[in-house]
Amino acid sequence: MALTLRVLWTVFLALWASLISAFNPSQDSELTFLLPAGSSECFFQTTQKNGTLEVEYQVIAGAGMDVDFSIISPHGIHMVSEFRRSDGVHMVEPTEAGDYQICFDNSFSRFSEKMVFFEVILENAANDATAEEEWAGLGEPENMLEYKLEDIRESIESVHRHLERSRQMQTVLRAFEARDRNLLEDNLWRVSFWSCTSLVVMLTVACTQVYTLRRLFDDKRQVRS
């Protein structure tokens, strides 16, 4: 009985530590902003050495649906440069210690502002090493019986990764939905405008034809008494 309680207590501690390490505040960030015409905007992301930086962006509104995009390293080196693109996914690995610049440029457009969504996914090697050390010092394998601490950790981390990936995919899908909705609204306005214009032209032509026919068959000769 005492051995069973000890095993259950060890499993409880393992689950508790795993939940704390797995569900800590995420370093991922996302932002939707308005990029005025003829201007550029840069954002800074602090990274650690030998980590991973992934950036995904998408233009969801604005004429042309395109911007210039670039990622600049802490030493001023252009890691990524794209021109007149509507979306993209880029990864920098391994990262350097410092602040990376994530820049969007709309200077080529003189009149149209753009609405841009982007997401930054950051993974630091130091955090992973710390988590491994915490797990290595937790519990005694010989007292776990059929419960394996490593299996529990892998299962919880797998669930956490799937949840994070699901959240990221839902965010991207929401961005796609917003972009498609803006395109549909813009196309609806164009279709409605040209439909009304065509209707006015058709009515004008019809009235002109009726008036012309009436003028042709109108007898203006004076009737003599």
Side-chain angles (χ1 to χ4, degrees), residues 3 23 25 27-28 32 38 47 49 57 66 77 111 132 139 149 153 181 184 222:
L3 181 59
F23 295 99
Q27 296 181 343
D28 302 345
T32 301
T47 61
K49 189 176 181 180
Y57 73 95
D66 54 357
I77 302 174
F111 305 102
E132 291 290 340
L149 184 61
R153 181 180 68 87
R181 183 172 62 252
L184 288 175
Q222 297 291 333

Side-chain angles (χ1 to χ4, degrees), residues 7-186:
V7 170
L8 293 176
W9 176 250
T10 307
V11 173
F12 173 76
L13 290 178
L15 291 174
W16 179 257
S18 179
L19 289 174
I20 292 177
S21 61
F23 295 99
N24 55 1
S26 177
Q27 296 181 343
D28 302 345
S29 58
E30 56 193 46
L31 179 66
T32 301
F33 69 99
L34 195 63
L35 184 61
S39 65
S40 60
E41 190 77 30
C42 290
F43 301 87
F44 292 85
Q45 176 63 56
T46 303
T47 61
Q48 299 179 2
K49 189 176 181 180
N50 296 329
T52 301
L53 175 66
E54 182 178 355
V55 181
E56 180 172 358
Y57 73 95
Q58 185 174 172
V59 182
I60 60 178
M65 295 283 190
D66 54 357
V67 294
D68 295 342
F69 173 78
S70 61
I71 299 178
I72 305 175
S73 71
H75 298 291
I77 302 174
H78 282 72
M79 308 296 296
V80 178
S81 294
E82 287 186 336
F83 304 96
R84 307 293 294 269
R85 291 290 301 272
S86 60
D87 57 80
V89 180
H90 300 280
M91 178 178 293
V92 178
E93 183 181 12
T95 57
E96 302 175 6
D99 295 331
Y100 278 81
Q101 296 185 48
I102 303 171
C103 298
F104 301 89
D105 190 358
N106 192 31
S107 58
F108 59 86
S109 179
R110 297 297 182 182
F111 305 102
S112 177
E113 59 185 11
K114 310 292 175 60
M115 183 174 292
V116 183
F117 162 83
F118 74 96
E119 182 180 19
V120 178
I121 302 174
L122 187 64
E123 295 182 2
N124 294 326
N127 294 340
D128 296 340
T130 302
E132 291 290 340
E133 292 176 359
E134 291 178 355
W135 273 96
L138 180 64
E140 299 179 0
E142 61 271 17
N143 294 331
M144 294 295 294
L145 297 181
E146 68 270 17
Y147 299 100
K148 296 182 180 179
L149 184 61
E150 185 68 20
D151 294 340
I152 297 174
R153 181 180 68 87
E154 291 179 356
S155 299
I156 295 179
E157 287 185 350
S158 176
V159 172
H160 177 63
R161 286 194 300 268
H162 283 85
L163 289 175
E164 283 295 317
R165 180 56 59 181
S166 299
R167 184 189 63 80
Q168 294 166 8
M169 290 300 299
Q170 289 175 357
T171 303
V172 173
L173 290 176
R174 284 198 300 269
F176 274 109
E177 181 184 0
R179 178 183 178 182
D180 294 340
R181 183 172 62 252
N182 290 326
L183 285 174
L184 288 175
E185 291 176 353
D186 187 46

